[in-house]
Amino acid sequence: MATPAILTRKITTFFTKLPYSPFSSHLLPHIPFSSLCKRTPLSLSSSPPIPKRVPCTLSAHGTTWQDPYHWMSNTNDPDLTNYLNHENLYTQGFMDDTGELQRELLLEIKSRMPISVSTPPELWGPWLYYHYIPEGKEYPVLCRKFDTLKSGWMKKLVDYAGGGCKRQEVLLDGNEIAEKFGYVHVGTSRVSPDHNFIAYTLDSTGGEQFILQIKDLRSGCIIPKLNVNGVVSLAWAKDSQTLFYTTSDETQRPYRQSLSLSHTHTSTWSRLYLINLMFDRVLYLRVGSDTTEGVPIFTESDSAFCVDISSTKDGKFITGFLTIYMSFYKQPVRGNFISHMVIFTIVLFQVYVLKTDYPQDQLQRVRKRVCGTQYFLEHHHDFFYILTNAPMKVDIDLIDGGYYLARCRSENIQSGNWQSIILPGQDESFHDMDIFEGHLVLFLNRKGSSTICSVNMPIDENYKHPMKVDDLNPWFFPMPSSLCGIVPGTNRDFMTSVYRAVLSSPVMPDVIVDYNMTERNFTILHQEDVPGITDNTGSSSLSFDSLRNIEKVQSWKDLAETFSYERREVTSHDGVQVPLTILYSREAYRKGESPGILLGYGAYGEVLDERWCAHRLSLLDRGWLVAFADVRGGGGANSSWHKSGAGSHKLNSIHDFVACGNYLVNDGYVPKDQLCSMAFSAGGLLVGAAMNMYPDLFRTAILKVPFLDVCNTLLDSSLPLTLLDHQEFGDPRVQTQFELIHSYSPYDNIPLEVCHPSMLVTASFQDSRQVEILKVGVWEAAKWVAKVRENMCSSCSRSVILKTNMSGGHFGEGGRYSQCEESAFEYAFLIKATGLLETNNQTRSL
């Protein structure tokens, strides 16, 4: 006798030639749950939508397979829109009984948010720049006030809070832009060296095509008649009249957001942002000139490469970076602060420079392209300082092509006569640098722990041999814990001796700290308040009294007494130790009884975000355990951690994730049937593959805009982003690599007739740019959901839901309040899918 799963597939085949019908669910046999179903059934009154199936045969290297949902990659097909709309209706019906819980969660999450949000002002030249989110608004506002005081930083802060400075000037207001266009996405922004102009890129449609805007800050007016589209990267010349910019070509090749490795030029104004359009031309235009057409000064003809521009910290040079692959990721407005994080992976790298005194000159190449070699330049007193992994002439052992710091005179940059001046020590690796008039800042990893230090500049010109960091009398910035994450501030001012950073951990709300590198002390400017949790009033705006007493408050406040934060090492399949972070409420969590959720990413060398998240408290307070699996393929102590989980080693990241899940169950942290998983973007590959291999490991999963159809996507040469991602996942045009990718690709390996975890899968229909380096379109999620339902146990298939944002881009739309709604929806799904909805309702009634 045919099982319900086979019956479902036969009936689905009947509708092959039909578009989606909202009435098709009534034609399914009424079999509420399979007698073979191993999972606790959910009470559902309807069956999920059934998409049309169109015969499609695909082949590669002698292997042939059928893909009846291949038609979904045509986003112009009206049947796809119709299908997605009905999936949204099904999702709404599935979640109907969680309405009260969603409202409860939403109120909780919003109650932890301050009424208004602001950041401490940051001195740059004669101005104090800062951001704030007005009460009840979604988006940040970039402002400044003129600094009229010369009596010290603390005095300036106090005067700022007390209103003693001149009136506030609004540079960019995301709320006004959103009201005008209905959508706002500011890509990048740059203030001119004389502080009279701000240039920024704006997407007002969700299509990720950015137009150039230049605002005269003296008059407050946008310069008219600019008609420059597809703009990505910006940099001002020293004269503040010449603006360099880059444009994407017609294929929309991936690009990296304009950003030097030092993070110093990043605008923290933008919301969640991940760029992947490439560009191939560098142009410049003169502000106020009669023509609005840019003059090209560099063109890259090889479609495999992209070029990016920035300026050195001292403003004396424009730097152009030529890469074959780089990704950029910016965190959203989180809690009380507007912060960012950068991840990148580069296959080929080449650098060009141009003196800003001569903007009409051509970009001059620094070195030839060498596969795997990377350079990041800054300028200081007639020297270029280069963080690089280029092979050295001397035979010095660096960890797997690790970075070191080199130097050369500005006029000799093209000679290749670079001197290696600072090398990492044993159990040490360099990750980043920043530079100021009097200080060099280095980000490093020492014995598995991230740290940051400064050394005095200039460095002696007469050194004879490469030095180690400890030879330079470094000052290591005090941090509350070796497990604490640090995110640089904008740090625009080359002349300052103060370095700003945001510190955070799963049990410590974000702290803004100024490190005085000359006096070697630090000032805690502000720590995020969590109303109802911390002792403060709940307002995140800086007050006169708080700034006046700030020197007396020099303690890190965390919630370690309330929440436990454990770090474990989990043995993976090949004996490698994988870091696992475990977080739970000391009061609400019950070991062996409470549900848990495992988070992972494992791609592009990105360090998994484990920073403070106030939204997460709604799960922790209900007894949930939250765990973070730092699997291979992500960021680690050195570059080998990424490489050992990428390309031909991608299976390692999947096995690592499974090992972490098994550890939580086998060591009694979470019951076997109460472990969930969650991943975003390329992390969807990680979780999807893990569920295919071990369908009994997880009770439920949330896949947010996931990358799942790996093999088909990487084989599709019509996607301009595909060719650039073979370094990360492999090149299926090579038979051996095809066989490996096809063996773990989540879409191609969904097991037949098994009980599969419940799932919430999200997608964005207008995501033209798509996820990271890959063109992960809405079809990835839609195909996965359709095929999972077709293959799996018919009872379990009803608890797989697809939620598509039909208007926003890859990250949807909206600011901090809409993010609250998203979290409330996801948490409500987890509670329902784990069978705890009734328990939650009973607890609430008590």
Side-chain angles (χ1 to χ4, degrees), residues 246-278:
T246 52
T247 59
S248 58
D249 64 10
E250 67 279 1
T251 64
Q252 295 188 330
R253 304 195 317 244
Y255 78 88
R256 166 182 174 263
Q257 169 70 3
S258 178
L259 176 72
S260 71
L261 186 66
S262 65
H263 305 282
T264 56
H265 310 293
T266 306
S267 167
T268 57
W269 184 88
S270 12
R271 48 188 275 256
L272 181 61
Y273 190 38
L274 183 142
I275 283 291
N276 289 296
L277 299 177
M278 275 193 182

mmCIF file of all heavy atoms in Angstrom, residues 246-278:
data_model
loop_
_atom_site.group_PDB
_atom_site.id
_atom_site.type_symbol
_atom_site.label_atom_id
_atom_site.label_comp_id
_atom_site.label_asym_id
_atom_site.label_seq_id
_atom_site.Cartn_x
_atom_site.Cartn_y
_atom_site.Cartn_z
ATOM 1 N N THR A 246 32.771 54.960 -8.025
ATOM 2 C CA THR A 246 32.820 53.785 -8.881
ATOM 3 C C THR A 246 31.405 53.414 -9.272
ATOM 4 O O THR A 246 30.450 53.644 -8.534
ATOM 5 C CB THR A 246 33.474 52.600 -8.152
ATOM 6 O OG1 THR A 246 32.833 52.416 -6.900
ATOM 7 C CG2 THR A 246 34.937 52.843 -7.939
ATOM 8 N N THR A 247 31.267 52.837 -10.453
ATOM 9 C CA THR A 247 29.950 52.439 -10.949
ATOM 10 C C THR A 247 29.969 50.973 -11.344
ATOM 11 O O THR A 247 30.989 50.431 -11.768
ATOM 12 C CB THR A 247 29.539 53.273 -12.182
ATOM 13 O OG1 THR A 247 30.502 53.096 -13.218
ATOM 14 C CG2 THR A 247 29.432 54.744 -11.821
ATOM 15 N N SER A 248 28.819 50.321 -11.202
ATOM 16 C CA SER A 248 28.692 48.928 -11.610
ATOM 17 C C SER A 248 28.418 48.870 -13.099
ATOM 18 O O SER A 248 27.848 49.781 -13.687
ATOM 19 C CB SER A 248 27.547 48.252 -10.849
ATOM 20 O OG SER A 248 26.330 48.936 -11.083
ATOM 21 N N ASP A 249 28.829 47.762 -13.702
ATOM 22 C CA ASP A 249 28.572 47.602 -15.126
ATOM 23 C C ASP A 249 27.211 46.956 -15.337
ATOM 24 O O ASP A 249 26.463 46.689 -14.406
ATOM 25 C CB ASP A 249 29.684 46.793 -15.798
ATOM 26 C CG ASP A 249 29.749 45.361 -15.270
ATOM 27 O OD1 ASP A 249 28.835 44.950 -14.536
ATOM 28 O OD2 ASP A 249 30.705 44.659 -15.618
ATOM 29 N N GLU A 250 26.889 46.674 -16.590
ATOM 30 C CA GLU A 250 25.555 46.171 -16.911
ATOM 31 C C GLU A 250 25.314 44.767 -16.384
ATOM 32 O O GLU A 250 24.174 44.331 -16.251
ATOM 33 C CB GLU A 250 25.329 46.198 -18.423
ATOM 34 C CG GLU A 250 26.203 45.235 -19.226
ATOM 35 C CD GLU A 250 27.596 45.787 -19.477
ATOM 36 O OE1 GLU A 250 27.867 46.913 -19.009
ATOM 37 O OE2 GLU A 250 28.405 45.097 -20.115
ATOM 38 N N THR A 251 26.369 44.032 -16.031
ATOM 39 C CA THR A 251 26.167 42.677 -15.507
ATOM 40 C C THR A 251 26.010 42.669 -14.000
ATOM 41 O O THR A 251 25.795 41.624 -13.414
ATOM 42 C CB THR A 251 27.358 41.773 -15.870
ATOM 43 O OG1 THR A 251 28.532 42.268 -15.216
ATOM 44 C CG2 THR A 251 27.573 41.705 -17.362
ATOM 45 N N GLN A 252 26.148 43.837 -13.363
ATOM 46 C CA GLN A 252 26.046 43.951 -11.916
ATOM 47 C C GLN A 252 27.010 42.996 -11.232
ATOM 48 O O GLN A 252 26.655 42.213 -10.354
ATOM 49 C CB GLN A 252 24.610 43.684 -11.429
ATOM 50 C CG GLN A 252 23.629 44.720 -11.911
ATOM 51 C CD GLN A 252 22.277 44.557 -11.264
ATOM 52 O OE1 GLN A 252 21.886 43.454 -10.909
ATOM 53 N NE2 GLN A 252 21.560 45.630 -11.109
ATOM 54 N N ARG A 253 28.271 43.085 -11.616
ATOM 55 C CA ARG A 253 29.266 42.218 -11.016
ATOM 56 C C ARG A 253 29.419 42.581 -9.539
ATOM 57 O O ARG A 253 29.274 43.721 -9.166
ATOM 58 C CB ARG A 253 30.599 42.392 -11.751
ATOM 59 C CG ARG A 253 30.486 42.142 -13.235
ATOM 60 C CD ARG A 253 31.852 41.952 -13.866
ATOM 61 N NE ARG A 253 32.844 42.890 -13.391
ATOM 62 C CZ ARG A 253 33.429 43.783 -14.170
ATOM 63 N NH1 ARG A 253 33.106 43.898 -15.429
ATOM 64 N NH2 ARG A 253 34.342 44.575 -13.691
ATOM 65 N N PRO A 254 29.757 41.627 -8.684
ATOM 66 C CA PRO A 254 29.801 41.895 -7.248
ATOM 67 C C PRO A 254 30.850 42.932 -6.917
ATOM 68 O O PRO A 254 31.889 42.987 -7.539
ATOM 69 C CB PRO A 254 30.190 40.550 -6.647
ATOM 70 C CG PRO A 254 29.791 39.559 -7.663
ATOM 71 C CD PRO A 254 29.945 40.224 -8.986
ATOM 72 N N TYR A 255 30.584 43.703 -5.899
ATOM 73 C CA TYR A 255 31.568 44.649 -5.443
ATOM 74 C C TYR A 255 31.621 44.652 -3.936
ATOM 75 O O TYR A 255 30.746 44.171 -3.248
ATOM 76 C CB TYR A 255 31.239 46.062 -5.930
ATOM 77 C CG TYR A 255 30.158 46.731 -5.150
ATOM 78 C CD1 TYR A 255 30.477 47.452 -4.014
ATOM 79 C CD2 TYR A 255 28.830 46.627 -5.538
ATOM 80 C CE1 TYR A 255 29.488 48.074 -3.293
ATOM 81 C CE2 TYR A 255 27.845 47.250 -4.811
ATOM 82 C CZ TYR A 255 28.172 47.965 -3.688
ATOM 83 O OH TYR A 255 27.187 48.575 -2.959
ATOM 84 N N ARG A 256 32.669 45.208 -3.425
ATOM 85 C CA ARG A 256 32.823 45.370 -1.985
ATOM 86 C C ARG A 256 32.512 46.804 -1.647
ATOM 87 O O ARG A 256 32.996 47.726 -2.273
ATOM 88 C CB ARG A 256 34.261 45.037 -1.575
ATOM 89 C CG ARG A 256 34.625 45.483 -0.161
ATOM 90 C CD ARG A 256 36.091 45.124 0.099
ATOM 91 N NE ARG A 256 36.537 45.640 1.374
ATOM 92 C CZ ARG A 256 37.196 46.766 1.515
ATOM 93 N NH1 ARG A 256 37.449 47.508 0.479
ATOM 94 N NH2 ARG A 256 37.599 47.158 2.705
ATOM 95 N N GLN A 257 31.719 47.000 -0.612
ATOM 96 C CA GLN A 257 31.389 48.340 -0.157
ATOM 97 C C GLN A 257 32.656 49.107 0.166
ATOM 98 O O GLN A 257 33.607 48.560 0.697
ATOM 99 C CB GLN A 257 30.507 48.237 1.093
ATOM 100 C CG GLN A 257 30.292 49.532 1.837
ATOM 101 C CD GLN A 257 29.431 50.460 1.058
ATOM 102 O OE1 GLN A 257 28.942 50.125 -0.002
ATOM 103 N NE2 GLN A 257 29.243 51.638 1.547
ATOM 104 N N SER A 258 32.682 50.409 -0.171
ATOM 105 C CA SER A 258 33.887 51.200 0.012
ATOM 106 C C SER A 258 34.320 51.188 1.460
ATOM 107 O O SER A 258 33.653 51.705 2.321
ATOM 108 C CB SER A 258 33.622 52.638 -0.429
ATOM 109 O OG SER A 258 34.763 53.420 -0.223
ATOM 110 N N LEU A 259 35.449 50.576 1.724
ATOM 111 C CA LEU A 259 35.871 50.424 3.107
ATOM 112 C C LEU A 259 37.323 50.003 3.147
ATOM 113 O O LEU A 259 37.705 49.025 2.541
ATOM 114 C CB LEU A 259 35.023 49.348 3.794
ATOM 115 C CG LEU A 259 35.411 48.997 5.221
ATOM 116 C CD1 LEU A 259 35.012 50.140 6.131
ATOM 117 C CD2 LEU A 259 34.730 47.733 5.642
ATOM 118 N N SER A 260 38.134 50.756 3.834
ATOM 119 C CA SER A 260 39.501 50.307 4.027
ATOM 120 C C SER A 260 39.516 49.335 5.188
ATOM 121 O O SER A 260 38.621 49.314 6.017
ATOM 122 C CB SER A 260 40.407 51.503 4.343
ATOM 123 O OG SER A 260 40.123 51.991 5.632
ATOM 124 N N LEU A 261 40.548 48.515 5.244
ATOM 125 C CA LEU A 261 40.592 47.492 6.272
ATOM 126 C C LEU A 261 40.553 48.092 7.663
ATOM 127 O O LEU A 261 40.136 47.467 8.623
ATOM 128 C CB LEU A 261 41.855 46.651 6.113
ATOM 129 C CG LEU A 261 41.969 45.434 7.032
ATOM 130 C CD1 LEU A 261 40.880 44.434 6.675
ATOM 131 C CD2 LEU A 261 43.320 44.810 6.939
ATOM 132 N N SER A 262 40.965 49.338 7.797
ATOM 133 C CA SER A 262 41.018 49.949 9.111
ATOM 134 C C SER A 262 39.659 50.324 9.652
ATOM 135 O O SER A 262 39.556 50.758 10.788
ATOM 136 C CB SER A 262 41.870 51.227 9.045
ATOM 137 O OG SER A 262 41.240 52.174 8.207
ATOM 138 N N HIS A 263 38.615 50.166 8.863
ATOM 139 C CA HIS A 263 37.249 50.496 9.261
ATOM 140 C C HIS A 263 37.037 51.993 9.442
ATOM 141 O O HIS A 263 35.978 52.425 9.848
ATOM 142 C CB HIS A 263 36.863 49.828 10.594
ATOM 143 C CG HIS A 263 37.032 48.365 10.623
ATOM 144 N ND1 HIS A 263 36.138 47.491 10.048
ATOM 145 C CD2 HIS A 263 38.015 47.593 11.152
ATOM 146 C CE1 HIS A 263 36.546 46.259 10.248
ATOM 147 N NE2 HIS A 263 37.677 46.291 10.893
ATOM 148 N N THR A 264 38.031 52.796 9.191
ATOM 149 C CA THR A 264 37.953 54.184 9.595
ATOM 150 C C THR A 264 37.033 55.018 8.734
ATOM 151 O O THR A 264 36.629 56.091 9.143
ATOM 152 C CB THR A 264 39.354 54.829 9.538
ATOM 153 O OG1 THR A 264 39.868 54.648 8.216
ATOM 154 C CG2 THR A 264 40.275 54.153 10.523
ATOM 155 N N HIS A 265 36.696 54.555 7.560
ATOM 156 C CA HIS A 265 35.879 55.367 6.672
ATOM 157 C C HIS A 265 34.470 54.825 6.534
ATOM 158 O O HIS A 265 33.719 55.237 5.681
ATOM 159 C CB HIS A 265 36.528 55.443 5.292
ATOM 160 C CG HIS A 265 37.973 55.815 5.364
ATOM 161 N ND1 HIS A 265 38.388 57.044 5.773
ATOM 162 C CD2 HIS A 265 39.093 55.095 5.119
ATOM 163 C CE1 HIS A 265 39.710 57.090 5.757
ATOM 164 N NE2 HIS A 265 40.154 55.919 5.371
ATOM 165 N N THR A 266 34.104 53.862 7.382
ATOM 166 C CA THR A 266 32.804 53.240 7.260
ATOM 167 C C THR A 266 31.729 54.125 7.849
ATOM 168 O O THR A 266 31.867 54.622 8.940
ATOM 169 C CB THR A 266 32.795 51.891 7.994
ATOM 170 O OG1 THR A 266 33.872 51.132 7.504
ATOM 171 C CG2 THR A 266 31.494 51.171 7.779
ATOM 172 N N SER A 267 30.644 54.302 7.127
ATOM 173 C CA SER A 267 29.504 55.016 7.676
ATOM 174 C C SER A 267 28.656 54.052 8.474
ATOM 175 O O SER A 267 28.103 53.108 7.955
ATOM 176 C CB SER A 267 28.655 55.608 6.552
ATOM 177 O OG SER A 267 27.416 56.026 7.056
ATOM 178 N N THR A 268 28.532 54.275 9.776
ATOM 179 C CA THR A 268 27.701 53.413 10.594
ATOM 180 C C THR A 268 26.247 53.825 10.492
ATOM 181 O O THR A 268 25.399 53.311 11.194
ATOM 182 C CB THR A 268 28.127 53.494 12.067
ATOM 183 O OG1 THR A 268 28.068 54.837 12.504
ATOM 184 C CG2 THR A 268 29.516 52.958 12.247
ATOM 185 N N TRP A 269 25.956 54.768 9.610
ATOM 186 C CA TRP A 269 24.577 55.237 9.484
ATOM 187 C C TRP A 269 23.688 54.198 8.842
ATOM 188 O O TRP A 269 22.537 54.053 9.172
ATOM 189 C CB TRP A 269 24.550 56.527 8.651
ATOM 190 C CG TRP A 269 23.188 57.114 8.562
ATOM 191 C CD1 TRP A 269 22.609 57.979 9.425
ATOM 192 C CD2 TRP A 269 22.216 56.867 7.551
ATOM 193 N NE1 TRP A 269 21.347 58.287 9.033
ATOM 194 C CE2 TRP A 269 21.079 57.619 7.880
ATOM 195 C CE3 TRP A 269 22.179 56.072 6.409
ATOM 196 C CZ2 TRP A 269 19.938 57.612 7.096
ATOM 197 C CZ3 TRP A 269 21.048 56.061 5.640
ATOM 198 C CH2 TRP A 269 19.943 56.829 5.983
ATOM 199 N N SER A 270 24.240 53.430 7.875
ATOM 200 C CA SER A 270 23.349 52.555 7.134
ATOM 201 C C SER A 270 22.840 51.408 7.966
ATOM 202 O O SER A 270 23.442 51.000 8.910
ATOM 203 C CB SER A 270 23.957 51.991 5.902
ATOM 204 O OG SER A 270 25.246 52.122 5.745
ATOM 205 N N ARG A 271 21.679 50.898 7.558
ATOM 206 C CA ARG A 271 21.079 49.761 8.209
ATOM 207 C C ARG A 271 21.701 48.479 7.667
ATOM 208 O O ARG A 271 22.659 48.542 6.914
ATOM 209 C CB ARG A 271 19.570 49.750 7.953
ATOM 210 C CG ARG A 271 19.198 49.950 6.516
ATOM 211 C CD ARG A 271 17.713 50.117 6.382
ATOM 212 N NE ARG A 271 17.068 48.828 6.312
ATOM 213 C CZ ARG A 271 16.612 48.322 5.212
ATOM 214 N NH1 ARG A 271 16.702 48.978 4.092
ATOM 215 N NH2 ARG A 271 16.034 47.164 5.209
ATOM 216 N N LEU A 272 21.154 47.362 8.063
ATOM 217 C CA LEU A 272 21.698 46.067 7.650
ATOM 218 C C LEU A 272 21.984 46.065 6.161
ATOM 219 O O LEU A 272 21.119 46.333 5.368
ATOM 220 C CB LEU A 272 20.683 44.977 7.985
ATOM 221 C CG LEU A 272 21.086 43.553 7.647
ATOM 222 C CD1 LEU A 272 22.327 43.153 8.403
ATOM 223 C CD2 LEU A 272 19.945 42.615 7.985
ATOM 224 N N TYR A 273 23.225 45.713 5.811
ATOM 225 C CA TYR A 273 23.635 45.922 4.425
ATOM 226 C C TYR A 273 24.685 44.923 4.030
ATOM 227 O O TYR A 273 25.686 44.786 4.684
ATOM 228 C CB TYR A 273 24.187 47.350 4.341
ATOM 229 C CG TYR A 273 24.443 47.826 2.947
ATOM 230 C CD1 TYR A 273 23.593 47.489 1.911
ATOM 231 C CD2 TYR A 273 25.533 48.629 2.677
ATOM 232 C CE1 TYR A 273 23.825 47.958 0.636
ATOM 233 C CE2 TYR A 273 25.770 49.104 1.406
ATOM 234 C CZ TYR A 273 24.911 48.759 0.396
ATOM 235 O OH TYR A 273 25.139 49.223 -0.859
ATOM 236 N N LEU A 274 24.447 44.215 2.984
ATOM 237 C CA LEU A 274 25.459 43.319 2.431
ATOM 238 C C LEU A 274 25.496 43.534 0.928
ATOM 239 O O LEU A 274 24.494 43.378 0.267
ATOM 240 C CB LEU A 274 25.133 41.867 2.768
ATOM 241 C CG LEU A 274 26.179 40.887 2.296
ATOM 242 C CD1 LEU A 274 26.339 39.785 3.338
ATOM 243 C CD2 LEU A 274 25.765 40.262 1.004
ATOM 244 N N ILE A 275 26.665 43.955 0.432
ATOM 245 C CA ILE A 275 26.794 44.367 -0.955
ATOM 246 C C ILE A 275 27.425 43.275 -1.786
ATOM 247 O O ILE A 275 28.338 42.628 -1.358
ATOM 248 C CB ILE A 275 27.670 45.622 -1.024
ATOM 249 C CG1 ILE A 275 26.860 46.820 -0.584
ATOM 250 C CG2 ILE A 275 28.198 45.857 -2.395
ATOM 251 C CD1 ILE A 275 25.784 47.180 -1.538
ATOM 252 N N ASN A 276 26.975 43.128 -2.995
ATOM 253 C CA ASN A 276 27.614 42.196 -3.904
ATOM 254 C C ASN A 276 27.581 42.635 -5.347
ATOM 255 O O ASN A 276 27.791 41.841 -6.234
ATOM 256 C CB ASN A 276 26.964 40.822 -3.778
ATOM 257 C CG ASN A 276 27.334 40.200 -2.478
ATOM 258 O OD1 ASN A 276 28.486 39.922 -2.255
ATOM 259 N ND2 ASN A 276 26.372 40.018 -1.610
ATOM 260 N N LEU A 277 27.294 43.867 -5.624
ATOM 261 C CA LEU A 277 27.402 44.335 -7.002
ATOM 262 C C LEU A 277 28.851 44.689 -7.271
ATOM 263 O O LEU A 277 29.500 45.295 -6.447
ATOM 264 C CB LEU A 277 26.538 45.580 -7.206
ATOM 265 C CG LEU A 277 25.040 45.401 -6.975
ATOM 266 C CD1 LEU A 277 24.351 46.724 -7.151
ATOM 267 C CD2 LEU A 277 24.484 44.402 -7.946
ATOM 268 N N MET A 278 29.324 44.343 -8.430
ATOM 269 C CA MET A 278 30.678 44.754 -8.787
ATOM 270 C C MET A 278 30.623 45.998 -9.658
ATOM 271 O O MET A 278 29.599 46.319 -10.221
ATOM 272 C CB MET A 278 31.390 43.642 -9.543
ATOM 273 C CG MET A 278 32.036 42.644 -8.636
ATOM 274 S SD MET A 278 33.152 41.611 -9.574
ATOM 275 C CE MET A 278 33.695 40.528 -8.293
#
